[in-house]
Structure formats: C-alpha cells, structure tokens
Amino acid sequence: MTKLIETYLKNDGPALSSDVAAYLVDQLGITPATARQRVSRASGDVKRLGGIVFPHRSRFLYLQGQFGSPWYWDRLGRALIDTNSAYGFAIAALRQRGGIVPAREFQIVSGAPMKLQKHLSPSTIFTRLQEAGLLEQVIVPGSGECIALIQSEGHYEFGADNIQARRITENILLAAVKDWLKKMGIASYGKVALRTDDEIPQVGTFAWDLTAPCYLGPMVRKSAEGKVKPGFVVCDVHLGDKMTRDGVEPFIRKCLTLRSLQKVGPCMQIFVADSYSKDAFQLLKKNGIMPATPATMFGQEIAEALRELTIALQLAAVSVIDADRFEALFNALGKIEGAAIQLRGTLFEFMAAEIARKLISPSVTMNRIFKEPGGKAKAEGDVVAVKPGQAVTVIECKGWSPRAELPDEYLKRWLQISVPLMYKEIRAHPDWKDLDAIFEFWTTATLSPESLLFFANAKAKIKPSRYSIGLRLGNDVRNLCEATRDGSLITAFDKHYTKPEKYNLDWGGHDPMVFEGY
C-alpha cells in the first residue's frame, strides 16, 4: 500500500492526505475510512509535514526528495491558501519574492495584521512555520536579518547581490510613488511614510510599504463631533518576477480585512509591480485594488531606468562600476524627488567597497548589522573589510553632493553610538576579538567647523589600545580612487562627487589615514 502512495506522490506531486485517500478509494474500491487508515500508516519514503494540520485533520504528504522543491512549495502554498490559512499567504508572499525578504518587511508581505482578534500576527506565523521546519531566519550579506523558506545551506547567500539590488530599486520606486501622490494632490504633503523610515508604515493594524492620509473629498469622513477624518492611501511594491495570482493574494487579504475595520476610513489601495499574470491582474481589479506598473504611473522612460538600475547595481556588487551607465540613471531618475540622493549614496557605498577590496582586503561585506551583545541596540556598518590576523575596518559612507554640508548629528551619532556598539561586537566576535578595530567616516559633503572639531576631540580621547577612528573627506576619497588605478572608480567619482572647482579641505588638524597605512 505504501508503494502505491509513493507512486501517486511521485507522479502527482505532494498532496493532502485526503486527496491521497480519495485516490485509493478510486483505485482499490475500498471505503473512505479504510483508505484514510491506510494513508495514516504509510511509511518509508512518505513524509508528513509536522506542526500544521489541515481541515478534517488532513495532513500534507510528500516524498523525502521533494522537500524544498518548487513543486513542494507550490502544492503546500496552494493547499494552505485554499483553506484560507494565514500560513499559506505568508508562504505565497515569500515564493513571489524568491523565497526571502528582510525580517522587518515580513510583516508587510505576509498579509497578516499586526494585532487583530481571531487573526494570527506575522510574528506568530513565523514562529509556527519555523517550528514546522518551513521557515528560518538567516543573515544575508547586504540585507542583514531575513526570513526565508527553508533551502539548502548557503542558498540565499548565492543570490545576495540580486536581493540587495531589487530592494534598492524598490526603494527608488517608492520614492517615485511618494512624489507622484504629492504632485497629484492625493496624499497630504509631508505625511507620506515609507518602509525605509525608522518605523514601518501602518494603517489600521496592517503594515505597508507606503502609507499617507488623503483629504480628497470622497475620502474624507466626519466624526459625530464634526471633526474631519481623512481617508488613506496604502501601497505595496514588488519588482522582479511577474506577479502571480498566489503572489497577489496576501495583499488582497490585507486590503479586504482592512475594509472590514469600522474605525478606518476609506482607503485607496495600490499595488505596483513590473508586470502581472492575467488572472492576478483581474483579481486585483475585481477586488477594487489599483494594479499599477512603473510604466503606467511614470512613463516608459522611468520604467526602463528602474530595470536598468537593478542591472547596474548587480554589476556594481561584483566590482563592475559603469560610470556612464550611472550617469544616464542619474539623468533619468533624478526627476524623482529624493531619487538622486538615494542613488548618490548607494553608488558611493559600492565605490567604497571596491576601494576597500583593492586597498585593504578582498574580504569585504556591505551593510553588515552589528548588534549589542545581549541587547536590542544595533548599528549598520556600510562597508566591513577584514584583513585576517590583522584588522577589521568598518567604513561609514555618506555619499552626498559636494555642494552640501553634512548635518552635525550624522558624525556625532556615528562617534557616540555606532562606533562604541560596533566595537563591542567586534570584541565579542570569535574571529575578530584579537584584531585591531578601525572605524572610518567617509563623506563627499563638507563638514561644519563644529563637526571637524568634535571629531578631533573624540580622536584625541580614544586610547590607541582600544580602537582608532579616521575621517576622509572628498579629496581624500578621490586620492584613494587614484591609488586603486581603476579608471571606472576615478571617472565615477569625478562625475558625481566632485565640484567644478577644487576642494579646499585644509582645516588645520585633519590628518587623514592615507592608503599606505592600511
């Protein structure tokens, strides 16, 4: 009997035990009760998913070799969605995004409310799926802590550059949506919240990529006391693979549940993706949701520039920085408010990483999250270069316009909060605890006399036996580009981080750490 069940799973794929039992009834002419009993006794290569029970006590069956395969996830996700299970929506959302999302964004994509009676929260969904051996929390270079479908070890590290490139491009897209909402007068000016903010945007009890109050006539309501209550705009985005029906289901679930909350006013609900399958597009429209694309919202030029940006970032991550390509992107995307700032900062981080690879050590990671041992506080190291047996160098990057002055709080926060926290983790790290700790602040903006004095005083107070700090301004970074003898780095720096006139950085005390000292 087990052999017959194995044959069914091999040919038809993973399935619910109720479906397998129905198959046995059809093939053998036995009663449903007998069929269910024989399925429950199946052994050998037939496995049962633990921790999750379907309606009528049905179990999910699969063969050992099918675990983690696309077929496995497709059948499991569909079985869960068909039973309106919150677990299924979360799995579908992850599958749509390559199986992985940053941990803080899981609460957005899962389709689950943060807190709502008779509903599972994102944290509960993750915990239970983790206990069932379906999800895990992993650290991915460039993206930090992520929640992912279980795959082979190192699976997600292989695609880390693609994950980071997609997220950066999506952040530019969100900036474009924000700009569009403001220019159209749909969103209240200055009230648009994005997932890149310190706090995840929320409307009702749900998390979104973008939210904003809306005071347009049809969206406004008045309370019993006559107080005006705005409606809202909510938006999620996804760039990459075509949105499938399963992929849009979690967003639709959020939208429909939000509408059922009496205390939340009218809400304009938008999803933005590169493209949609026919049934996904129709399902969004059927449920009163706007299925948009970058092309329909902003025109073909912006849509093509966003696709080109993803490619450029993927290449930059593997040491191919095309100055001309980035210049074209600045020209195309610079029309979006805030996009040029994000692009300049992102490009500068990639350039700093490449400089570090060439002048410090080939062992370089980007955007590493440092956590205080035993605490919740954390800081991000934009570029971390490890020279085995010698030193750990952590570089803070502020790639701003050379005409701008960096606010004093950026440098002060780095010196007072980030550096001490990162130093604590380095000393607790089993491979780094005996290495020299070096922290550098690189910026292409100018610094105020107060910032420069603050840095000098902080440097003078640090014991050399603990760690060292360094400051590199525009001209210092330009010299490092020249030291690499990499023409693309030099060209990119000159195009985007150099004033027409020469820098004048002699402030009487600045002693940059030159590259020969590494």
Side-chain angles (χ1 to χ4, degrees):
M1 187 59 64
T2 295
K3 197 68 177 177
L4 184 59
I5 295 173
E6 287 180 353
T7 301
Y8 174 84
L9 295 175
K10 181 178 180 181
N11 294 333
D12 287 60
L16 293 179
S17 58
S18 56
D19 295 333
V20 179
Y23 169 76
L24 295 181
V25 170
D26 182 64
Q27 292 294 308
L28 304 176
I30 58 179
T31 65
T34 301
R36 288 194 297 271
Q37 188 177 56
R38 292 184 179 182
V39 170
S40 69
R41 292 175 178 173
S43 56
D45 201 30
V46 178
K47 304 298 178 184
R48 294 166 182 78
L49 175 63
I52 296 179
V53 179
F54 290 80
H56 310 297
R57 294 189 295 178
S58 189
R59 302 295 293 274
F60 187 73
L61 305 182
Y62 60 95
L63 300 177
Q64 180 64 50
Q66 294 172 334
F67 180 80
S69 66
W71 206 2
Y72 173 91
W73 290 118
D74 183 61
R75 289 298 181 84
L76 176 58
R78 176 42 50 192
L80 288 165
I81 288 176
D82 285 345
T83 57
N84 201 34
S85 168
Y87 305 121
F89 293 109
I91 290 173
L94 287 170
R95 291 198 70 225
Q96 179 68 62
R97 293 159 179 80
I100 185 168
V101 295
R104 79 191 300 260
E105 292 174 20
F106 181 73
Q107 57 195 315
I108 298 175
V109 306
S110 68
M114 307 294 288
K115 186 178 180 181
L116 188 62
Q117 194 173 14
K118 297 182 180 180
H119 287 73
L120 299 178
S121 69
S123 60
T124 300
I125 291 171
F126 168 68
T127 298
R128 293 185 183 175
L129 290 178
Q130 183 185 43
E131 291 171 349
L134 297 175
L135 298 188
E136 62 180 338
Q137 193 154 350
V138 296
I139 302 295
V140 177
S143 298
E145 294 179 350
C146 295
I147 289 176
L149 300 175
I150 293 286
Q151 296 288 352
S152 58
E153 188 174 350
H155 174 86
Y156 295 110
E157 290 184 14
F158 181 77
D161 296 338
N162 294 338
I163 296 169
Q164 185 183 26
R166 188 192 75 210
R167 288 187 62 236
I168 292 171
T169 307
E170 285 179 355
N171 290 341
I172 297 290
L173 171 59
L174 284 169
V177 176
K178 175 181 178 179
D179 195 33
W180 179 80
L181 290 171
K182 287 161 50 177
K183 288 179 178 177
M184 295 294 291
I186 297 172
S188 182
Y189 197 89
K191 297 292 185 179
V192 183
L194 303 178
R195 73 182 187 194
T196 51
D197 298 340
D198 292 338
E199 299 292 331
I200 289 286
Q202 288 189 45
V203 167
T205 59
F206 290 94
W208 312 82
D209 283 337
L210 176 151
T211 65
C214 176
Y215 285 90
L216 292 179
M219 305 291 285
V220 174
R221 296 290 183 271
K222 286 189 176 181
S223 66
E225 297 79 21
K227 184 178 180 181
V228 174
K229 297 175 64 177
F232 295 93
V233 179
V234 296
C235 176
D236 282 359
V237 303
H238 173 64
L239 297 179
D241 296 338
K242 180 180 291 188
M243 290 299 299
T244 64
R245 180 187 176 93
D246 285 356
V248 300
E249 289 270 20
F251 184 77
I252 293 173
R253 182 173 186 258
K254 279 203 301 185
C255 293
L256 296 182
T257 308
L258 181 70
R259 293 176 199 171
S260 70
L261 303 179
Q262 295 182 355
K263 293 184 178 180
V264 179
C267 196
M268 179 186 296
Q269 298 161 334
I270 307 170
F271 198 96
V272 187
D274 275 328
S275 60
Y276 302 85
S277 66
K278 184 177 180 180
D279 55 350
F281 186 86
Q282 291 176 340
L283 191 62
L284 287 166
K285 294 281 286 184
K286 178 182 176 181
N287 285 283
I289 297 165
M290 185 188 301
T293 67
T296 58
M297 292 188 80
F298 315 114
Q300 199 59 42
E301 181 186 7
I302 295 296
E304 290 177 0
L306 288 169
R307 285 192 287 270
E308 184 70 12
L309 174 60
T310 301
I311 297 171
L313 293 173
Q314 290 169 341
L315 291 173
V318 292
S319 307
V320 182
I321 296 175
D322 188 329
D324 292 334
R325 180 176 242 160
F326 272 100
E327 183 174 22
L329 290 170
F330 270 91
N331 291 335
L333 299 175
K335 303 168 187 176
I336 302 168
E337 182 180 342
I341 294 173
Q342 290 190 48
L343 276 175
R344 188 175 281 110
T346 298
L347 175 59
F348 189 63
E349 288 183 12
F350 280 112
M351 292 177 63
E354 187 59 18
I355 292 170
R357 286 189 194 98
K358 292 180 181 297
L359 300 182
I360 303 176
S361 168
S363 179
V364 170
T365 57
M366 296 180 63
N367 309 114
R368 187 189 190 282
I369 301 298
F370 289 80
K371 282 190 172 182
E372 184 179 21
K376 294 184 178 180
K378 59 184 179 180
E380 182 176 304
D382 293 332
V383 176
V384 181
V386 181
K387 197 166 186 178
Q390 296 187 40
V392 179
T393 302
V394 185
I395 303 170
E396 177 78 4
C397 302
K398 297 297 179 188
W400 285 38
S401 166
R403 297 175 179 83
E405 182 177 285
L406 195 73
D408 295 343
E409 58 263 27
Y410 283 90
L411 182 63
K412 289 183 178 180
R413 178 177 174 80
W414 179 74
L415 286 167
Q416 295 176 330
I417 299 175
S418 298
V419 169
L421 192 153
M422 292 188 288
Y423 175 71
K424 285 181 181 178
E425 186 179 332
I426 288 174
R427 285 293 165 256
H429 194 288
D431 299 325
W432 299 351
K433 60 183 179 181
D434 296 322
L435 305 184
D436 291 339
I438 302 169
F439 302 96
E440 296 195 10
F441 192 96
W442 295 13
T443 181
T444 51
T446 57
L447 295 182
S448 69
E450 290 77 15
S451 283
L452 295 171
L453 182 60
F454 189 85
F455 176 84
N457 290 336
K459 186 173 183 178
K461 294 176 183 178
I462 296 171
K463 294 181 180 179
S465 59
R466 298 187 70 222
Y467 59 85
S468 62
I469 59 173
L471 174 66
R472 292 185 185 276
L473 302 184
N475 215 32
D476 307 322
V477 180
R478 177 60 167 76
N479 291 338
L480 292 180
C481 291
E482 289 188 350
T484 66
R485 299 184 180 181
D486 185 327
S488 63
L489 284 175
I490 298 169
T491 302
F493 189 89
D494 287 344
K495 281 179 180 287
H496 303 296
Y497 304 102
T498 304
K499 290 181 183 179
E501 65 274 13
K502 284 186 172 291
Y503 278 101
N504 179 14
L505 301 175
D506 181 12
W507 57 277
H510 171 46
D511 183 22
M513 298 164 58
V514 295
F515 74 92
E516 291 89 356
Y518 283 132

